Amino acid sequence: MRRRHRHRLLRPLVAFAAVTGIFATATPDADSTPLEGTSAASATTTVFYYTKTKNWPATYLHYAPDGGSWTTAPGVRMETACTDWVKETVDLGSAAGLQATFNNGSGTWDNNGGTNYALGAGTVTVKDGVVAHSDPCADTGTGTGNQATVYYSTATSGWSTANLHYAPTGGSWTTVPGVGMESVCTGWWKRTVDLGTATTLKAAFNNGNGVWDNNNGGDYALGSGTTTVKGRTVTAGAADPCAAQAPDTQAPTTPTGVTASATGTSVVVSWKPATDDTAVTKYQLTRTGGTEGTVVTDVGSTVWSDTGLAEKTTYTYTVKAVDAAGNTSPASSAAPVTTGEKAPAPAAGTPLGTDPRKDPIYFVLTARFYDGDTSNDRGGSQDVTSGNAANNDPMFRGDFKGLVDKLDYIKALGFSAVWITPVVLNRSDYDYHGYHGYDFYKVDPRLESAGASYQDLINAAHAKGMKIYQDVVYNHSSRWGAKGLFTPTVYGVRDTQWSWYYDEKNAGFDYDGLTVEPKSGKSYYNGDLWSTAEPSGNTCLNWGKPTGGKSPEGYTLYNCQWPSPTSGMFPKAYYHQCWIGNWEGEDSRSCWLHEDLADFNTENATVQNYLIGAHDKYIDMGVDGFRVDTAVHIPRVTWNRRFLPAIHDRVTQRFGADAAKNFFVFGEVGAFVNDKWNRGSVNHSAQFFTWKERKEYSADDEKAAIEQYDYEEQLGTGSQPTSANAFLNGNSYHTPDRSQFSGMNIIDMRMHMNFGDAQNAYNNGKDSDDSVNDATYNVVYVDSHDYGPNKSSTRYSGGTDAWAENMALMWTFRGIPTLYYGSEIEFQKGKQIDCGPTCPLAGTGRAYYGDHLAGGVTASDFGTVASASGEVATTLAQPLVKHLQRLNRIRRAIPALQSGQYSTDGITGSMAFKRRYTSGSTDSFALVTVTGGATYTGIPNGTYTDAVTGDVKTVSGGTLSVAAPGKGNLRVYVLNGPGKIGADGPYLK
């Protein structure tokens, strides 16, 4: 999951790292007072905390004066100050401020996105993550004298808090920064103050952090009654700007710049955004021509991909803009286009449709495996700075042609399924891994070649009896949005600092990851999205203004320069608007993980349809299953209502019910802990996602997500369903009950986290199996492109003997054994798996593997080499390769090791178990012990043959004893078994 240089937050029972804020400052008019209230000389800080959006029964302040010690968690309980506010006064001693976090006293924290709140001295407010200086409970306007109600607009300033600093005529000024104003509607803040006998007042406004609107050096002169201040215009006796507005009857402007371009029988239509007095909410795209007649489509962005059209046919497109009230603009000018010939394509594949438990999985990062076509290699903007250029090692190096060329290597190892990283067009400046999806309907051309398209790879694998499992991402797009849904325009100052990164605007450039933007001739990434001028319909606050911060290179940073959830660049309908604060909280399903991972609002029907439509394309190509990235960050009820049924229905529609039954979906639920339930949170535990819902929720998906979260969290771990689907009944196999199966299987995170030692992984795996719908489908691995065991950031380096033992366990215990590319030769052992563009890939766990595959190889069967030459022959001669090949051959020959249920009843031994699978004429019963000796009692009488040594034991009294075979070795005694399978090797002997 966390491959994109992402950082996981610690739970806030310990202090978080401090952060320092830098604020631009200005001073108010000379008649007002400087910011004395926030000087370091103050001996105390009074902290006000806004409670309305938390609804906590109690609020605690956990703090440390600068240079001092933290309070004992959860800290001190805050007292009620006024409506929606609590407060606490802290003695700072000689400190100039304090670090703080807030919590409800019962384990729920506001940890400010993973950093402490840095609070100074004086009076400080913290509201929805924003720190400011004022007393929100002062002067509430309840006196008997004259009053002034002041409304202040922050629509142009973008302030996230506002204060009114004032003095009644003839009276004294408030203490800087004044009194806090209350947000009353979008862009407006309000405060009612007592004037006594005065009828006018002087005023200045500020954001509580030193930034002032002091009316160009002159105080605002305001009167009693209601006054509005907007854009430095004062309106006395004004109406309430937040009162109900008259119905919206104004239509948006007509869209302009409509263009349509054809590639084969597909057309991309784009246009410039329309404007409206409120906001444009969608566009209506009308297509005429061909035999289809008039087709009208609602579109949420300003680009639309129209596919599957007739050849050599003229179509015409017009666009209308629609606002929230349903007002519709006139139609745009027509944009005609004529399609070409339908591009020849390989026939769509058909999934193999067999039980996925039969197929061990080999996991590759396609771009790092084998380079079959150097013409599609790309280094991107970080090629030099990462150090990859110096190694002649572009990030996009391996490709589908390389995979097709080396399918026989994978088959020779014994694997019959290949899990590949996401194939969709990615977009970031370091996107080789595939998890920064941009165009979910397009295969990344950096992976394809003539004669080696994605379809060609699928078909080639199927021809060898091998499956393709495609890694898919439903949770997020790249930070540049998702083409066909929404893409943001970003602000890029092309000065001497930033011209290296931001291309000059090129309206004709259509990003494809492969083509250099022709106007600048240097970059692949920005020419179509960049804009110095504020774009029409912009929603991002403070467009192009300096933030006050600097980039790591020391360059000036500007607002709206980088997409983020809180900037206003992304529409709320399609993208969530927050950062995750609690990784085991409800916000983990509704906030961004990282700036490169723009979090889809997956509870929105338009987003759901976009994602379902995209993945239907790959189902239709004949892939055999989906590995689901970041599955935990989408509510289970959304999976169960929308995405999982859509997958099942599409496979059924195209290939039939049997294919749908065996279309393998396995989800990544990032529970990086060693306990059965992830920190006690059922919603964040892997096994939770294998179950259907137990009750009905609201029809609205967003409401249902919260209802489901609360309902299951309150039921807790002790009230979750249990299953016997993985367990034998004595010595008997029983038909599993899959009626409550959700459709999603899981990566066995608990075994993965504990694979520092095979015994530990085995014990932990067994402990969780009764809470999984059917653990025989668990995907089991030691390490991956994200982590090694125990959340290590390095590839597994436990040694060859330990690897052999881990493999012996994985290939015989329940679940589907999976190997990360290169582990068969301990490739890059101990190396940091991912360090982003700060170091060369050649020194990481994602290094290029192709040098070990040079030469030729032909597999005669799974686990059997017919011929090999060159470096790949050396690779295939390594001891773990020999071990792996034989394990695969043994597992393939014994059905109990593939699909069997298991039991440890009546067995002594550290890693010893019995497995059985019965179906039709097949009855496979096996006794397994890994490394250590074992005794089996109460087993069926008969003749048992060890698949490793060929040893035969006749059981007449229900007992069989096995001597310890040694580390990495095992014994597999099969009732009426096939005999010895394969030749002795370095471990199996």
Side-chain angles (χ1 to χ4, degrees):
M1 177 174 74
R2 312 299 63 89
R3 69 209 54 103
R4 288 71 78 183
H5 21 285
R6 186 185 301 168
H7 304 287
R8 184 174 173 83
L9 307 181
L10 298 175
R11 286 173 69 79
L13 295 181
V14 295
F16 288 89
V19 283
T20 303
I22 302 174
F23 302 101
T25 58
T27 55
D29 180 73
D31 286 346
S32 53
T33 310
L35 289 171
E36 295 174 350
T38 61
S39 71
S42 298
T44 62
T45 292
T46 299
V47 181
F48 289 84
Y49 186 75
Y50 186 70
T51 62
K52 187 174 184 179
T53 52
K54 296 295 184 183
N55 293 318
W56 288 345
T59 304
Y60 287 76
L61 171 66
H62 181 42
Y63 70 92
D66 293 345
S69 300
W70 284 85
T71 55
T72 301
V76 295
R77 183 165 181 166
M78 304 181 76
E79 65 182 76
T80 300
C82 56
T83 302
D84 298 331
W85 291 91
V86 293
K87 72 176 182 179
E88 180 66 25
T89 299
V90 177
D91 185 357
L92 296 178
S94 59
L98 69 154
Q99 306 292 307
T101 63
F102 300 87
N103 65 91
N104 70 351
S106 299
T108 300
W109 290 76
D110 169 7
N111 54 30
N112 194 29
T115 58
N116 300 321
Y117 285 98
L119 309 180
T123 300
V124 180
T125 62
V126 179
K127 180 180 179 181
D128 298 336
V130 177
V131 176
H133 299 269
S134 66
D135 182 349
C137 301
D139 193 354
T140 57
T142 57
T144 57
N146 297 322
Q147 293 185 336
T149 298
V150 181
Y151 289 87
Y152 181 73
S153 172
T154 57
T156 57
S157 68
W159 291 349
S160 53
T161 185
N163 292 326
L164 171 63
H165 179 45
Y166 73 96
T169 302
S172 300
W173 283 87
T174 54
T175 301
V176 170
V179 294
M181 304 184 77
E182 192 70 22
S183 177
V184 284
C185 59
T186 302
W188 283 99
W189 299 74
K190 173 186 176 182
R191 189 73 191 212
T192 298
V193 297
D194 290 326
L195 301 179
T197 59
T199 57
T200 58
L201 68 153
K202 291 182 178 181
F205 301 90
N206 64 87
N207 72 348
N209 289 311
V211 179
W212 288 80
D213 169 11
N214 51 25
N215 199 25
N216 291 322
D219 299 321
Y220 286 99
L222 310 178
S224 58
T226 300
T227 304
T228 61
V229 180
K230 181 177 183 181
R232 293 181 176 161
T233 297
V234 176
T235 303
D240 181 353
C242 295
Q245 301 295 312
D248 179 9
T249 58
Q250 181 175 328
T253 60
T254 302
T256 60
V258 182
T259 61
S261 60
T263 302
T265 56
S266 297
V267 171
V268 175
V269 186
S270 62
W271 56 94
K272 295 180 180 178
T275 59
D276 187 60
D277 59 329
T278 54
V280 174
T281 57
K282 66 178 180 179
Y283 295 90
Q284 287 181 349
L285 179 77
T286 300
R287 183 188 76 207
T288 57
T291 60
E292 301 92 344
T294 300
V295 177
V296 179
T297 304
D298 286 346
V299 181
S301 64
T302 57
V303 62
W304 178 251
S305 298
D306 208 0
T307 59
L309 301 174
E311 294 182 289
K312 299 179 180 179
T313 301
T314 298
Y315 294 91
T316 299
Y317 295 85
T318 58
V319 184
K320 298 178 181 180
V322 184
D323 66 16
N327 300 308
T328 304
S329 76
S332 69
S333 299
V337 64
T338 301
T339 58
E341 294 182 352
K342 186 175 182 179
T350 299
L352 296 185
T354 54
D355 187 335
R357 294 173 295 182
K358 296 181 178 181
D359 302 299
I361 302 170
Y362 191 73
F363 171 36
V364 302
L365 270 71
T366 307
R368 307 303 301 159
F369 186 62
Y370 188 74
D371 194 359
D373 176 8
T374 58
S375 70
N376 59 11
D377 292 358
R378 290 295 183 274
S381 67
Q382 301 298 309
D383 196 33
V384 174
T385 56
S386 65
N388 291 337
N391 292 325
N392 193 26
D393 184 29
M395 60 169 180
F396 265 96
R397 190 171 179 183
D399 45 41
F400 294 147
K401 189 174 188 306
L403 260 177
V404 170
D405 289 348
K406 298 304 176 185
L407 283 174
D408 265 36
Y409 169 77
I410 298 171
K411 185 171 183 176
L413 295 177
F415 293 94
S416 50
V418 186
W419 158 16
I420 60 173
T421 40
V423 304
V424 304
L425 176 61
N426 263 231
R427 187 165 191 165
S428 78
D429 48 13
Y430 214 54
D431 56 358
Y432 65 94
H433 42 64
Y435 298 94
H436 296 169
Y438 173 67
D439 189 343
F440 286 68
Y441 287 77
K442 181 182 178 68
V443 175
D444 201 309
R446 292 169 289 189
L447 299 175
E448 293 195 301
S449 309
S453 67
Y454 186 34
Q455 187 69 70
D456 289 318
L457 169 64
I458 295 168
N459 295 352
H462 287 172
K464 294 181 182 294
M466 301 169 70
K467 296 179 177 180
I468 295 292
Y469 295 150
Q470 178 180 329
D471 211 320
V472 295
V473 185
Y474 286 73
N475 178 65
H476 57 264
S477 72
S478 75
R479 68 179 174 196
W480 306 113
K483 186 176 181 181
L485 180 71
F486 176 80
T487 56
T489 299
V490 299
Y491 179 86
V493 176
R494 296 196 75 254
D495 53 22
T496 56
Q497 296 179 341
W498 288 108
S499 59
W500 68 275
Y501 186 85
Y502 287 98
D503 299 338
E504 187 178 354
K505 179 69 173 177
N506 183 350
F509 178 58
D510 187 21
Y511 169 80
D512 65 7
L514 195 63
T515 306
V516 173
E517 190 281 309
K519 198 169 186 179
S520 69
K522 60 182 176 63
S523 177
Y524 305 91
Y525 294 99
N526 304 297
D528 56 334
L529 298 181
W530 171 84
S531 176
T532 291
E534 185 169 355
S536 175
N538 168 56
T539 56
C540 188
L541 301 175
N542 296 317
W543 181 271
K545 296 179 181 178
T547 65
K550 299 286 185 181
S551 74
E553 301 89 350
Y555 303 161
T556 298
L557 294 173
Y558 299 87
N559 284 299
C560 311
Q561 189 168 18
W562 302 102
S564 78
T566 56
S567 65
M569 286 172 110
F570 287 84
K572 183 177 182 180
Y574 299 156
Y575 284 89
H576 291 133
Q577 307 284 300
C578 51
W579 295 108
I580 286 182
N582 181 0
W583 287 79
E584 278 76 44
E586 191 278 328
D587 59 339
S588 72
R589 68 96 194 161
S590 59
C591 298
W592 287 35
L593 304 165
H594 187 274
E595 66 176 9
D596 275 326
L597 309 176
D599 199 80
F600 283 130
N601 179 3
T602 48
E603 288 65 69
N604 175 275
T606 301
V607 175
Q608 292 168 356
N609 291 338
Y610 175 85
L611 292 168
I612 290 169
H615 293 100
D616 281 352
K617 169 181 176 176
Y618 305 110
I619 291 172
D620 294 351
M621 293 173 76
V623 297
D624 301 276
F626 289 153
R627 180 269 188 182
V628 182
D629 180 76
T630 50
V632 68
H633 299 294
I634 294 176
R636 186 180 75 177
V637 67
T638 305
W639 284 116
N640 286 347
R641 278 186 176 182
R642 309 301 176 198
F643 298 133
L644 294 172
I647 293 170
H648 182 272
D649 292 348
R650 187 67 169 198
V651 179
T652 302
Q653 174 193 348
R654 293 304 304 270
F655 305 112
D658 286 344
K661 175 184 176 183
N662 289 316
F663 188 90
F664 190 45
V665 179
F666 58 105
E668 178 213 27
V669 179
F672 303 104
V673 292
N674 294 330
D675 47 4
K676 184 171 183 175
W677 296 97
N678 185 9
R679 306 186 199 275
S681 173
V682 295
N683 282 278
H684 298 88
S685 300
Q687 61 267 42
F688 181 74
F689 285 79
T690 66
W691 296 93
K692 288 182 177 179
E693 301 307 325
R694 296 189 276 175
K695 67 184 298 290
E696 291 292 325
Y697 301 106
S698 297
D700 178 82
D701 284 352
E702 187 169 357
K703 292 180 181 178
I706 297 173
E707 290 170 359
Q708 178 250 290
Y709 180 90
D710 290 341
Y711 176 75
E712 294 289 355
E713 209 70 3
Q714 289 170 13
L715 284 179
T717 61
S719 299
Q720 295 301 308
T722 58
S723 169
N725 284 339
F727 306 118
L728 291 173
N729 183 4
N731 292 314
S732 300
Y733 179 87
H734 60 92
T735 302
D737 177 5
R738 307 271 284 172
S739 62
Q740 296 306 305
F741 175 51
S742 67
M744 182 183 289
N745 301 287
I746 54 171
I747 293 170
D748 197 322
M749 282 288 174
R750 193 170 183 198
M751 287 193 74
H752 164 48
M753 284 289 100
N754 285 280
F755 252 121
D757 175 73
Q759 179 73 61
N760 199 32
Y762 171 70
N763 291 340
N764 277 272
K766 287 193 305 176
D767 182 52
S768 291
D769 285 353
D770 65 345
S771 61
V772 181
N773 183 270
D774 191 341
T776 65
Y777 288 84
N778 284 10
V779 170
V780 183
Y781 56 65
V782 174
D783 63 357
S784 73
H785 59 333
D786 289 331
Y787 292 114
N790 300 313
K791 206 183 176 188
S792 164
S793 62
T794 60
R795 289 193 73 157
Y796 182 70
S797 58
T800 310
D801 290 354
W803 253 124
E805 184 179 49
N806 289 341
M807 290 178 180
L809 176 63
M810 288 193 291
W811 262 256
T812 55
F813 189 45
R814 60 94 186 114
I816 302 170
T818 301
L819 197 73
Y820 184 37
Y821 81 99
S823 291
E824 63 270 26
I825 61 169
E826 298 179 83
F827 181 61
Q828 298 297 90
K829 61 181 179 181
K831 299 289 188 182
Q832 185 174 352
I833 294 172
D834 175 30
C835 56
T838 63
C839 67
L841 283 166
T844 73
R846 300 178 181 179
Y848 176 64
Y849 192 56
D851 294 339
H852 297 277
L853 302 178
V857 57
T858 302
S860 56
D861 200 351
F862 292 101
T864 305
V865 180
S867 64
S869 62
E871 187 60 31
V872 70
T874 302
T875 299
L876 288 166
Q878 300 305 303
L880 280 179
V881 170
K882 297 298 185 184
H883 184 58
L884 184 63
Q885 288 172 316
R886 194 171 182 209
L887 283 170
N888 270 317
R889 292 176 65 187
I890 290 172
R891 188 179 190 274
R892 187 168 295 277
I894 302 171
L897 301 185
Q898 303 165 25
S899 308
Q901 296 163 340
Y902 78 96
S903 173
T904 59
D905 292 344
I907 302 173
T908 60
S910 56
M911 285 187 284
F913 45 90
K914 54 188 175 184
R915 297 190 67 184
R916 192 169 205 157
Y917 178 71
T918 305
S919 178
S921 61
T922 299
D923 185 7
S924 177
F925 184 74
L927 308 175
V928 179
T929 183
V930 178
T931 300
T935 297
Y936 305 83
T937 60
I939 60 174
N941 292 330
T943 301
Y944 291 78
T945 306
D946 179 21
V948 177
T949 64
D951 179 52
V952 177
K953 292 182 182 293
T954 301
V955 175
S956 58
T959 299
L960 186 151
S961 294
V962 182
K967 188 163 186 175
N969 202 353
L970 77 156
R971 297 289 179 258
V972 184
Y973 280 90
V974 184
L975 182 61
N976 302 318
K980 182 176 181 178
I981 300 170
D984 288 353
Y987 291 99
L988 296 182
K989 53 189 176 181

